[in-house]
Amino acid sequence: LFFYVDEEARSRGAGSLLMEEAMVWAKGREANSMSMVAININAPTNANEVFLKYGFREFETTYRVNL
């Protein structure tokens, strides 16, 4: 499952709406957990704030280098 919130829609509840629907979708498929990844390609986002709001806790840090 992938979702992206356009810059113009950020801080207007779009991320929360998408998160709520994703959780309903996952629970409907009897999932017992859900993991999310925030990809900050060009600039930091407030995705982490949304994740924390819904009870997600950081458990892994990934580093990447372009070669």
Side-chain angles (χ1 to χ4, degrees):
L1 177 64
F2 173 85
F3 63 84
Y4 172 82
V5 178
D6 191 85
E7 287 184 40
E8 293 178 9
R10 293 179 191 162
S11 298
R12 296 182 178 186
S16 292
L17 247 158
L18 287 166
M19 182 63 70
E20 289 168 14
E21 289 300 317
M23 293 176 87
V24 167
W25 178 86
K27 287 177 184 178
R29 281 148 185 83
E30 300 182 17
N32 60 12
S33 67
M34 196 167 125
S35 298
M36 302 297 289
V37 175
I39 300 172
N40 302 327
I41 296 171
N42 296 317
T45 68
N46 65 350
N48 290 343
E49 294 172 24
V50 174
F51 296 156
L52 293 174
K53 175 181 172 181
Y54 286 93
F56 287 82
R57 296 294 171 252
E58 187 174 332
F59 69 93
E60 180 179 290
T61 302
T62 302
Y63 297 90
R64 176 180 175 174
V65 64
N66 291 330
L67 303 176

